[in-house]
Amino acid sequence: MTVGELKQHLYELSEEGKINEDTEVRMAQQPHWAFEYGIGENVASIMDPYNSHCSVLYLEEGEQIAYLNEEAARQLGGLWHGE
């Protein structure tokens, strides 16, 4: 996903009233036994070593919060841990 694609997703969700400036950002991992993580404070931006015309933005993984919410897991196409 590019920054432009992420911005478009965020714009659309904002226009639909599903998020606002205070919406917390989290990361979902392990789709078959999904956990949710916060986003850390640090970010890194480097030139892609495999494509000199692209940069890559890295977000630091924050702490593990809990099992991923059932509805979020379904929307992401994963299985919920309760199934």
Side-chain angles (χ1 to χ4, degrees):
M1 174 179 290
T2 66
V3 170
E5 291 168 335
L6 177 58
K7 286 170 62 176
Q8 184 62 36
H9 283 294
L10 295 174
Y11 173 78
E12 290 170 3
L13 290 169
S14 178
E15 288 295 303
E16 294 169 6
K18 294 181 178 179
I19 64 170
N20 62 38
E21 293 292 318
D22 296 322
T23 300
E24 186 171 337
V25 177
R26 296 185 179 176
M27 180 180 298
Q29 293 184 352
Q30 302 177 357
H32 295 292
W33 193 262
F35 292 100
E36 62 181 79
Y37 292 81
I39 302 294
E41 297 293 321
N42 298 309
V43 298
S45 177
I46 66 166
M47 289 306 296
D48 187 334
Y50 305 105
N51 182 350
S52 62
H53 302 289
C54 289
S55 59
V56 180
L57 178 68
Y58 290 92
L59 303 177
E60 177 184 46
E61 180 182 287
E63 69 178 60
Q64 182 179 321
I65 297 169
Y67 289 109
L68 184 62
N69 172 280
E70 179 180 2
E71 180 59 25
R74 290 182 201 281
Q75 288 185 32
L76 293 170
L79 298 175
W80 186 57
H81 63 88
E83 293 181 340

